[in-house]
Amino acid sequence: MSAGMFKRFWQGGIAALCLVPVALASAQAAPCGNDASGFAAWLPAFKREAQAQGISPAALRALDGVTYDTTVIRLDRNQKHFKVSFEQFAASRISAGRIATGKKKMQQYASTLARIEQRYGVPGEVLVAIWGLETDYGVNKGKMPILRSLATLSYDCRRSDFFTGQLLDALRIYQHGDLTLDEMRGAWAGEIGQTQFLASSYVKYAVDFDGDGRADLVRSAPDVLASTANYLRGHGWRPGAGWGPGEPNYQALLGWNKAEVYVKTIGLFASKLKQ
């Protein structure tokens, strides 16, 4: 099970991960639906409203030919809430191989991580632990087209307002030139990149740390690590403070993930990366 999927199961929906951008003001112009029958009529109505929100016609052409994805709806409907102990979860996520790879990443990006900590106050071991837990250091980012997934969930009535905001921000990412359409692939609910940002978090927290002119959370490890640190700083991270239960930065990690077993696992993983 991916860390992103675990995140959704524990939180009962991913809205708690980030601040939701303002949805379309006149959502009634693009009514939601519970099956594919109205999607073809919904899409042009959404485009008209999105253009009124500042999305360019060129960016909106990325939605040409986008179709309703029944797989996304099936996965959305089949989420289950469950409980697992910290010991069980940590044992399943912190393997010897993942620790070894994490230590190599710490060495490989030592100077980058030092600069990130200087700027954002977040230690490298915390960032690398999150990186490993979320996508196994970028190996398992997801392959589903983000715009198709978000368009499907925006049209769907269950969480239409939330995903309409995500779709608008995904289009802003594309319009800004941070990612190409081919790069905009990820998990079924629209998480993007090596630490699985939702589009609204991407727009708010992604940074261009490697200086190439775009914030690339798919291919650039420096951008990924710095953006993750920026996210944590935005959720109250205090430089030099601890991150265990009861310590100041524990709350910042809960801003990343509301599941305490996940947050404790980040802390345990980070401690092992320092050993």
Side-chain angles (χ1 to χ4, degrees):
M1 177 183 298
S2 71
M5 185 67 72
F6 179 86
K7 184 182 297 182
R8 288 191 296 278
F9 285 165
W10 266 92
Q11 295 182 189
I14 57 181
L17 292 178
C18 59
L19 296 177
V20 181
V22 177
L24 297 180
S26 52
Q28 293 83 358
C32 66
N34 292 314
D35 56 40
S37 61
F39 186 82
W42 171 88
L43 189 57
F46 169 83
K47 288 182 178 181
R48 289 191 295 272
E49 295 296 333
Q51 190 167 352
Q53 295 283 325
I55 307 300
S56 70
L60 286 170
R61 282 196 288 274
L63 293 176
D64 290 351
V66 166
T67 56
Y68 183 86
D69 192 337
T70 56
T71 298
V72 168
I73 297 301
R74 176 176 56 80
L75 290 169
D76 180 68
R77 299 297 191 267
N78 287 341
Q79 294 186 74
K80 298 177 181 178
H81 303 278
F82 65 94
K83 292 184 178 181
V84 62
S85 71
F86 161 62
E87 291 78 13
Q88 290 172 316
F89 183 68
S92 71
R93 302 302 296 176
I94 306 176
S95 66
R98 188 165 282 166
I99 292 169
T101 301
K103 289 183 175 182
K104 290 178 182 177
K105 297 293 185 184
M106 293 280 293
Q107 294 174 352
Q108 181 181 357
Y109 294 103
S111 62
T112 298
L113 290 167
R115 289 191 297 117
I116 290 171
E117 184 170 6
Q118 183 177 24
R119 182 175 301 182
Y120 299 104
V122 184
E125 61 268 24
V126 172
L127 301 175
V128 173
I130 291 172
W131 191 16
L133 288 172
E134 290 291 345
T135 64
D136 210 7
Y137 311 106
V139 174
N140 301 310
K141 299 186 294 291
K143 298 179 180 180
M144 300 183 74
I146 294 298
L147 293 181
R148 186 184 186 194
S149 294
L150 291 178
T152 298
L153 291 167
S154 178
Y155 163 73
D156 182 59
C157 289
R158 196 166 85 85
R159 290 180 286 173
S160 181
D161 287 347
F162 174 74
F163 282 108
T164 292
Q166 297 302 320
L167 179 56
L168 284 168
D169 276 338
L171 288 165
R172 291 182 179 110
I173 293 166
Y174 174 64
Q175 179 171 285
H176 189 261
D178 288 324
L179 297 176
T180 66
L181 280 182
D182 186 59
E183 290 168 336
M184 294 187 73
R185 294 177 179 273
W188 66 263
E191 299 94 332
I192 308 170
Q194 297 190 33
T195 52
Q196 298 288 274
F197 273 40
L198 291 174
S200 55
S201 293
Y202 203 121
V203 167
K204 187 169 185 179
Y205 296 111
V207 296
D208 171 20
F209 203 73
D210 62 13
D212 69 350
R214 62 178 186 150
D216 181 356
L217 304 192
V218 173
R219 301 185 189 276
S220 171
D223 290 2
V224 167
L225 295 166
S227 299
T228 304
N230 191 35
Y231 183 106
L232 290 174
R233 185 176 69 171
H235 285 75
W237 188 275
R238 289 170 50 184
W243 55 80
E247 296 182 296
N249 288 326
Y250 192 72
Q251 290 301 313
L253 289 176
L254 285 171
W256 181 267
N257 191 299
K258 298 298 181 185
E260 292 206 46
V261 293
Y262 197 101
V263 170
K264 291 177 181 177
T265 299
I266 292 173
L268 178 60
F269 197 176
S271 69
K272 290 181 178 294
L273 292 175
K274 286 199 69 175
Q275 293 173 1

